[in-house]
């Protein structure tokens, strides 16, 4: 079963240093192509299978047990190499995200 959860944020939530904007789980991730990127930081956690993540003309392997951080508005695409490619991801925003995630970015 695929699960999607969109966070309902209050005005005070938007002032937190880090806050979630969504959380999702896909039993098989379909190919994604985002030429303009995604509005929030994304943390993809690979649960099974293997995929390829394309960012800045580089290709990264994404296997079960690994995680990948994507920064906002960075063009990217990803797709399965070994199916089913099951993953979870959270998207987040907040003033502390750049500092916390700077060393994790692709």
């Amino acid at each position: 079963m695929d699960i999607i959860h969109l966070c309902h944020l209050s005005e005070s939530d938007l002032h937190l240093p880090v806050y979630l904007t969504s959380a999702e789980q896909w039993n098989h991730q379909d190919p994604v192509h985002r030429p303009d990127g995604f509005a929030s930081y994304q943390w993809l956690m690979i649960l099974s299978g293997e995929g390829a993540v394309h960012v800045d003309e580089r290709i990264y392997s994404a296997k079960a047990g690994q995680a990948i951080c994507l920064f906002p508005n960075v063009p990217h695409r990803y797709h399965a190499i070994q199916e089913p490619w099951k993953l979870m991801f959270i998207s987040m925003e907040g003033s502390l995200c750049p500092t916390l995630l700077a060393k994790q970015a692709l």
Side-chain angles (χ1 to χ4, degrees):
M1 172 197 308
D2 295 328
I3 302 168
I4 300 172
H5 179 75
L6 301 175
C7 300
H8 299 283
L9 300 167
S10 69
E11 185 63 35
S12 61
D13 293 334
L14 300 176
H15 297 287
L16 292 170
V18 176
Y19 55 90
L20 294 183
T21 55
S22 68
E24 301 182 23
Q25 176 179 320
W26 300 101
N27 287 326
H28 172 67
Q29 176 63 58
D30 289 328
V32 171
H33 182 220
R34 293 190 176 111
D36 297 321
F38 188 77
S40 300
Y41 291 85
Q42 288 181 283
W43 188 265
L44 285 71
M45 296 153 286
I46 315 309
L47 303 176
S48 69
E50 181 179 357
V53 180
H54 303 253
V55 181
D56 293 330
E57 299 183 25
R58 293 193 61 190
I59 302 171
Y60 301 90
S61 174
K63 298 179 182 180
Q66 296 179 319
I68 292 180
C69 180
L70 297 170
F71 271 43
N73 308 312
V74 174
H76 63 270
R77 60 189 171 97
Y78 47 87
H79 57 88
I81 294 174
Q82 178 189 4
E83 298 182 6
W85 191 37
K86 184 175 181 178
L87 62 86
M88 297 175 66
F89 86 82
I90 58 171
S91 61
M92 64 198 111
E93 295 183 19
S95 61
L96 196 54
C97 284
T99 303
L100 285 174
L101 301 173
K103 296 186 187 241
Q104 303 303 318
L106 294 177

